[in-house]
Structure formats: structure tokens, C-alpha cells
């Protein structure tokens, strides 16, 4: 028996004949697949959107976290101020005009010393007395020689007067008269010679007194009663003329160029809280080639706190400038020179090269590199890197 295995389905043309059930199933499958693909694409897009949203939030959080971790830096805006120039120096106190006093004469044994260190004396005042017993006897002897010379002069004058009366009567020749006149003149000259010798002895005796050459303050006494002194004994007393003192301070070439005679200074001795006003009265005309420094001498009025030989500090005024001023902690330096860190509008640290000027107790003047309106890192600049983000905080807050 033969069977035909074909399935004859009439074509659906124009609605004539029956529909093919196999074809209908295939269309439904294709529509289902399309919906699955669309759903899958939509799911992927949704996941991508969610991923971006999540990571965007993470980035913002990271940025916020980074901001919170930025170091807090103290900044200062220096502005511009008038800065009084000051030069600081140190040196030794001394008498402005020191007078060494010694023995002007032949010397001898000291009998009395009449002054002590720290005592004021006047010009010509006797400081010490030297034994003059021998000189006194010499003066007595010379006074007697003067009397003898005067007696001889009187006798010569009398003989000459008598000769003048007799020459007219022919008893004495004119030659005898001339001889008697010469004798009279010689005797008178002997009187003057003896008087001059007495004056020499008196002057030598006066020179045995050690006297002050000028009024001033006795700084040192190096002689005692009983001591034998002579011209080779050296200095016996040291005086400060008028009691005036001075400070001799060593300054650099640059500092010396910025000062002149008459510039005021404040001098503070070591161990004293008091300062004394003075003026520069002399600047060394030469510079020490080894140290590259010169001496400035500051005149000071007398005060018991100003002791010669003591150490003192001087602050000298040297004009003024208008410039920004920063504390020393804000200024850094390396091989390229001095610099500071400036915080820009984005709160990033930027290196700024500068040049420093005057140094005062309140800070350091900036001569170049800053206008005064910048936010300058006050301290800890050595721990920053150029371009680093910071959290600036104004000083004092």
C-alpha cells in the first residue's frame, strides 16, 4: 500500500484557501525574539546609566575627600608699610678722648696720691705729689747765689759811679772808667743768670706734681705712695676728657655706606635694660681688607652704666623704605635664591622668587617680588610643593 507523505497546503492567495499553521508559528517566534533583543539592549543601557551615576558620585566623593585632606596652611597678606631702617652692631665702650698722665719731670718717690678712680678732676688739679726735699734745698742755694750776685752788682755800680766823678779831675783815665762799666754790666748779668737758674729749679719742682691736663673723669690709677717713679715709669693715671664715652662698632661696607656723621643710635650695655642715645661722630676712612669691615664711633654722654671696656649693642637709624614686610619664617632660600610660597585663587601654592631688604625686629622687608596683596604662606613653606592644593587660613584666625 503506498502513502503520499506530502502535505499539500493550498496557497493563501487573496484569501482563497486555508492558512498554513507552520508559517504562523514562525512569525510569532520572530516577534518574540525582537522583543527579547530590545529588552536586552534597554537593560544594558540602564546598567550603563546606573554605572555612570554610581561612579560619578564616587568621583565627587573622592574630590570632596581630597579637598578635606588638603593641608591647612596659615597665610598672611603683608600689605605695604613704612619701615624704619635699622643697622645693628656690637662693640666695646671706651673713653672718647682718653688722657694718659705720666711723670713730666725727673721723678722721685711718691709722697701722696690725691685722687681715686671714678672721681672728677679739674684742669691743672694735682693728682699725686712726689718728694721734692732735694729740689727745695737747691732752690734755697740758688736764692743765696742771687743775693751774692746782687751784692757784686751793687759794688760794681758804686765803683763805676765814683770813677765818673774822678775822671773829670784827671785822677782816673777813661780806660779805667770803661773797665769799671764793663765790670758793673757783668755783675748785673750775673744777677739775671742766677734768677733764671732759680726759675729752672722752681719749674722742675712744680713738675714733680702730677696734674690733670684737662677736666675729666679718673678712669684708672696706677701709682701708690712710696713708689719711685721716673719718666720711664709709663702711665700713672688715665682720664676721660669731659667724661665723654663712645662705642666703637664694626660694620660691613654696605652698612657704612648707609650712615653718616650725626646719625642717631641707641646703645644698650650688656647687663643693662637701659638704652643711651648717641650720635655717630666718626666713620673709619679705611676698610679692613681681611674682614671687609670698618669702624663707626658713636659718641655718648657720661653715665655710670657706661664703663670703658664693657660690651654693648647699638641700633643705628639708616633711613626708611615703603615695602611689604614678612616674618622670617615665611622666607625660604635655596641655590636659586630667596623665595616664598604664594597661594593663588585656586588655593594652589606657587613659588615666588623675592629679594630681601632691611632686617628689623618686626620682620624682613621685601624689596622685590611682592606687591603686598598676595596671600603668602607664613610658615611650613618648606613642606609644600609648587602646585599643591592647600586650605589657606588667615593668620590669627
Amino acid at each position: 500500500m503506498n502513502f503520499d507523505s506530502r502535505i499539500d497546503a493550498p496557497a493563501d492567495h487573496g484569501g482563497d484557501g486555508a492558512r498554513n499553521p507552520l508559517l504562523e508559528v514562525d512569525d510569532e517566534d520572530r516577534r518574540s525574539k525582537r522583543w527579547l533583543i530590545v529588552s536586552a539592549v534597554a537593560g544594558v543601557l540602564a546598567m550603563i546609566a546606573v554605572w555612570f551615576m554610581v561612579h560619578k558620585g564616587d568621583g565627587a566623593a573622592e574630590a570632596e575627600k581630597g579637598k578635606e585632606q588638603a593641608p591647612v596652611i596659615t597665610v598672611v597678606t603683608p600689605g605695604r608699610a613704612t619701615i624704619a631702617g635699622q643697622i645693628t652692631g656690637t662693640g666695646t665702650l671706651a673713653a672718647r678722648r682718653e688722657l694718659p698722665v705720666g711723670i713730666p719731670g725727673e721723678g722721685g718717690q711718691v709722697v701722696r696720691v690725691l685722687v681715686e678712680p671714678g672721681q672728677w678732676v679739674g684742669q691743672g688739679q694735682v693728682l699725686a705729689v712726689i718728694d721734692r726735699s732735694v729740689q727745695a734745698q737747691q732752690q734755697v742755694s740758688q736764692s743765696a747765689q742771687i743775693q751774692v750776685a746782687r751784692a757784686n752788682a751793687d759794688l760794681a755800680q758804686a765803683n763805676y759811679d765814683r770813677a765818673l766823678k774822678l775822671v773829670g779831675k784827671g785822677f782816673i783815665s777813661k780806660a779805667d772808667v770803661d773797665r769799671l762799666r764793663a765790670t758793673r754790666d757783668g755783675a748785673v748779668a750775673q744777677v739775671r743768670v742766677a734768677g733764671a737758674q732759680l726759675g729752672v729749679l722752681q719749674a722742675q719742682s712744680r713738675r714733680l706734681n702730677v696734674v690733670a691736663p684737662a677736666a675729666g673723669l679718673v678712669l684708672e690709677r696706677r701709682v701708690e705712695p712710696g713708689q719711685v717713679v721716673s719718666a720711664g715709669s709709663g702711665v700713672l693715671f688715665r682720664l676721660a676728657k669731659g667724661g665723654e664715652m663712645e662705642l666703637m662698632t664694626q660694620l660691613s661696607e654696605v652698612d657704612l655706606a648707609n650712615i653718616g656723621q650725626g646719625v642717631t643710635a641707641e646703645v644698650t650695655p650688656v647687663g643693662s635694660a637701659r638704652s643711651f642715645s648717641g650720635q655717630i661722630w666718626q666713620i673709619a676712612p679705611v676698610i679692613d681688607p681681611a674682614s671687609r669691615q670698618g669702624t663707626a664711633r658713636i659718641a655718648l654722654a657720661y653715665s655710670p652704666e657706661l664703663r670703658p671696656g664693657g660690651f654693648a649693642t647699638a641700633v643705628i637709624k639708616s633711613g626708611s623704605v615703603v615695602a611689604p614686610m614678612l616674618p622670617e619664617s615665611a622666607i625660604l632660600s635655596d641655590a636659586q635664591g630667596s623665595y616664598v610660597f604664594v597661594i593663588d585663587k585656586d588655593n594652589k601654592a606657587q613659588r615666588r622668587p623675592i629679594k630681601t631688604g632691611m632686617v628689623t625686629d618686626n620682620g624682613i622687608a621685601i624689596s622685590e617680588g611682592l606687591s603686598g596683596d598676595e596671600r603668602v604662606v607664613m610658615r611650613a613653606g618648606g613642606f609644600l610643593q609648587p602646585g599643591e592644593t592647600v586650605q589657606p587660613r588667615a593668620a590669627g584666625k
Side-chain angles (χ1 to χ4, degrees):
M1 175 182 273
N2 295 328
F3 295 94
D4 189 357
S5 60
R6 292 179 300 170
I7 299 175
D8 294 330
D12 187 9
H13 295 288
D16 297 332
R19 292 174 59 97
N20 189 344
L22 294 178
L23 294 177
E24 290 180 1
V25 174
D26 187 54
D27 289 339
E28 290 178 0
D29 289 341
R30 282 197 296 270
R31 285 194 297 268
S32 177
K33 289 180 180 180
R34 282 198 297 269
W35 280 110
L36 288 175
I37 294 172
V38 170
S39 298
V41 172
V44 171
L45 293 175
M47 292 177 63
I48 293 174
V50 171
W51 185 88
F52 273 108
M53 291 179 64
V54 170
H55 284 273
K56 181 178 180 182
D58 291 343
E62 289 294 332
E64 186 65 26
K65 184 178 179 181
K67 181 177 180 181
E68 292 177 356
Q69 291 180 349
V72 178
I73 299 297
T74 302
V75 297
V76 61
T77 302
R80 297 179 69 86
T82 300
I83 305 168
Q86 293 181 347
I87 297 173
T88 302
T90 57
T92 304
L93 293 167
R96 181 177 177 183
R97 295 296 185 190
E98 184 176 301
L99 304 177
V101 182
I103 290 293
E106 62 183 7
Q109 187 176 31
V110 177
V111 177
R112 288 180 296 164
V113 179
L114 305 178
V115 296
E116 296 290 341
Q119 183 177 339
W120 290 88
V121 296
Q123 184 175 3
Q125 181 176 334
V126 178
L127 307 179
V129 178
I130 297 176
D131 177 62
R132 63 191 67 197
S133 57
V134 175
Q135 287 79 4
Q137 293 301 317
Q138 290 176 342
Q139 291 179 47
V140 171
S141 174
Q142 190 60 35
S143 296
Q145 291 294 332
I146 292 175
Q147 293 177 356
V148 172
R150 285 176 178 171
N152 291 333
D154 292 341
L155 178 59
Q157 182 66 44
N159 291 333
Y160 177 66
D161 292 339
R162 284 193 296 270
L164 290 177
K165 294 177 181 179
L166 296 175
V167 69
K169 298 178 180 180
F171 294 107
I172 297 178
S173 65
K174 297 188 69 170
D176 293 332
V177 172
D178 293 339
R179 186 175 63 254
L180 292 173
R181 184 173 62 247
T183 302
R184 188 275 315 268
D185 293 341
V188 172
Q190 286 296 325
V191 173
R192 292 197 292 271
V193 170
Q197 290 176 345
L198 178 61
V200 170
L201 292 175
Q202 290 174 342
Q204 291 176 346
S205 180
R206 287 193 298 270
R207 292 177 66 188
L208 293 175
N209 288 334
V210 182
V211 300
L217 178 69
V218 179
L219 300 178
E220 190 175 357
R221 159 180 161 173
R222 298 180 180 176
V223 63
E224 297 298 333
Q227 182 176 340
V228 177
V229 295
S230 64
S233 298
V235 177
L236 304 181
F237 299 91
R238 289 195 307 120
L239 308 181
K241 184 178 180 181
E244 296 177 345
M245 300 294 167
E246 70 173 3
L247 175 69
M248 296 184 292
T249 179
Q250 297 291 319
L251 300 177
S252 66
E253 294 178 90
V254 176
D255 290 339
L256 288 176
N258 293 327
I259 61 175
Q261 293 185 2
V263 173
T264 60
E266 294 293 324
V267 176
T268 305
V270 171
S272 174
R274 182 183 173 189
S275 296
F276 301 87
S277 296
Q279 288 186 338
I280 295 178
W281 73 276
Q282 187 181 84
I283 299 175
V286 296
I287 298 294
D288 186 347
S291 64
R292 312 309 305 172
Q293 291 183 328
T295 303
R297 304 176 69 174
I298 303 171
L300 300 164
Y302 169 75
S303 178
E305 293 86 351
L306 299 175
R307 297 180 177 87
F311 197 73
T313 301
V315 179
I316 306 170
K317 296 181 179 179
S318 61
S320 60
V321 296
V322 178
M325 176 176 284
L326 290 174
E328 186 176 355
S329 61
I331 300 174
L332 306 171
S333 62
D334 57 15
Q336 299 177 7
S338 299
Y339 66 95
V340 296
F341 273 106
V342 174
I343 307 303
D344 61 16
K345 62 181 181 179
D346 297 325
N347 290 341
K348 294 184 181 297
Q350 304 296 340
R351 174 177 171 137
R352 180 77 62 84
I354 61 169
K355 288 186 179 180
T356 58
M358 295 180 180
V359 179
T360 68
D361 294 336
N362 299 323
I364 301 175
I366 308 302
S367 58
E368 292 184 17
L370 293 177
S371 64
D373 300 328
E374 300 88 349
R375 294 183 297 171
V376 181
V377 176
M378 190 171 180
R379 59 180 63 90
F383 299 97
L384 296 177
Q385 295 295 327
E388 182 177 352
T389 301
V390 300
Q391 297 184 57
R393 183 180 62 186
K397 294 185 179 180

